[in-house]
Amino acid sequence: MDKVNVLGVNFDNKTFNQFQNEFVKRLNDHESTFIVTANPEIVMAANENPEFMKILQQDADYITADGIGIVKAAKMLGKQLPERVTGYDLFLWFMKIANERGLRVYLIGAKPEVIHAVQAKIAKNYKNINLVGAEDGYFRQDLDLVAHRIAKAQPDMVFAALGFPKQEKLLAILRRNLTPAIMMGVGGSFDVFSGQVKRAPGIFQKTHLEWFYRLITNPTRFKRMMVLPKFVVRVHQFKRGNK
């Protein structure tokens, strides 16, 4: 089965290595590729926002299970996703590939101090990357104008850390215009990559409790985390409705 449907969002039934193989091929062929790494929050947001759902269903080329909650939801629905494939892990891998090949990378999003820290880290640790754009997420221009500016830089990869659904809306414009690049929304990845925010320790990652680590280190996330029990309830309702 190539796709696994979780509340209307079609996840690609692939391992991290399988995604890597496909992305390398598309990169080699200069194919326009829009990747969404979706967690329960994104799935629930799409169910409340028809425009966002349309982007996920019609514009995205790949949707990965960014979080164990999606993997478990698929299992509850009697389907199988082999593993979670997080946006941050994909981002790190793409940066490695970009550095090895000397690719053109465009970054957009996060606070000014964060994007500056990201630039500094790339200059120090990823010297072969050609950073053709790096701007914070506080622009006021229309997304079409921003997309035009990005495309004009002729990037091989575009990473947007604008939060959902804004980052997906921007990348969907680039995808519809057939921009020949790998394009992915990365949420808070710039914050972690820059060192401004610490990623959960290994034990939390291995036990799939990164969400809990983020909650105890940043209690202001509590309101956002309330979507998780709602997600579980919705999955149960979806399962009952499809029996």
Side-chain angles (χ1 to χ4, degrees):
M1 187 185 298
D2 292 332
K3 303 282 185 180
V4 173
N5 186 297
V6 177
L7 301 184
V9 178
N10 288 316
F11 288 84
D12 287 276
N13 188 7
K14 301 180 190 299
T15 64
F16 191 91
N17 286 339
Q18 288 172 327
F19 277 119
Q20 288 175 313
N21 292 335
E22 292 213 15
F23 296 156
V24 165
K25 183 179 183 304
R26 292 179 73 96
L27 188 61
N28 291 342
D29 294 338
H30 303 285
E31 286 190 68
S32 185
T33 305
F34 174 22
I35 304 161
V36 175
T37 62
N39 58 19
E41 277 186 275
I42 286 179
V43 171
M44 290 296 283
N47 274 265
E48 302 298 327
N49 183 334
E51 181 188 4
F52 189 25
M53 181 66 85
K54 186 177 179 181
I55 287 173
L56 300 187
Q57 292 178 338
Q58 298 184 14
D59 295 304
D61 296 291
Y62 296 91
I63 301 181
T64 80
D66 187 355
I68 195 63
I70 298 297
V71 176
K72 289 187 174 181
K75 190 173 183 180
M76 287 168 58
L77 296 171
K79 300 168 185 177
Q80 194 75 27
L81 284 168
E83 60 183 338
R84 65 179 193 147
V85 179
T86 71
Y88 188 68
D89 288 331
L90 271 177
F91 175 65
L92 289 182
W93 176 73
F94 277 127
M95 294 299 284
K96 175 176 174 289
I97 295 296
N99 190 54
E100 290 173 352
R101 298 187 177 197
L103 299 181
R104 299 168 65 85
V105 175
Y106 201 111
L107 308 176
I108 181 168
K111 297 177 180 178
E113 60 269 25
V114 171
I115 199 70
H116 291 154
V118 169
Q119 286 178 275
K121 182 171 181 176
I122 290 173
K124 180 180 179 181
N125 299 332
Y126 298 82
K127 297 181 185 298
N128 293 326
I129 286 180
N130 184 1
L131 200 57
V132 295
E135 56 179 295
D136 64 57
Y138 291 80
F139 55 84
R140 293 186 178 183
Q141 300 100 319
D142 182 89
L143 288 181
D144 285 297
L145 291 175
V146 176
H148 177 75
R149 181 169 69 247
I150 293 172
K152 194 174 180 180
Q154 298 183 317
D156 298 301
M157 295 181 178
V158 180
F159 300 105
L162 301 168
F164 65 85
K166 188 175 182 179
Q167 61 192 22
E168 284 76 25
K169 288 181 179 180
L170 173 62
L171 299 179
I173 294 169
L174 289 164
R175 180 63 182 88
R176 290 168 198 156
N177 292 335
L178 301 179
T179 305
I182 295 287
M183 299 167 285
M184 186 172 77
V186 294
S189 292
F190 290 177
D191 300 88
V192 179
F193 182 76
S194 67
Q196 302 286 315
V197 173
K198 287 186 178 181
R199 193 179 187 188
I203 185 63
F204 285 89
Q205 295 180 43
K206 290 177 183 177
T207 54
H208 308 303
L209 289 172
E210 284 182 279
W211 63 271
F212 183 65
Y213 176 82
R214 290 195 294 270
L215 180 60
I216 59 178
T217 55
N218 184 8
T220 59
R221 293 178 61 91
F222 180 77
K223 187 175 181 180
R224 286 180 60 183
M225 290 298 169
M226 289 305 294
V227 75
L228 297 177
K230 293 179 182 178
F231 172 73
V232 174
V233 170
R234 186 72 65 87
V235 171
H236 277 295
Q237 291 173 339
F238 185 85
K239 181 178 180 180
R240 288 198 301 268
N242 283 275
K243 280 187 176 181

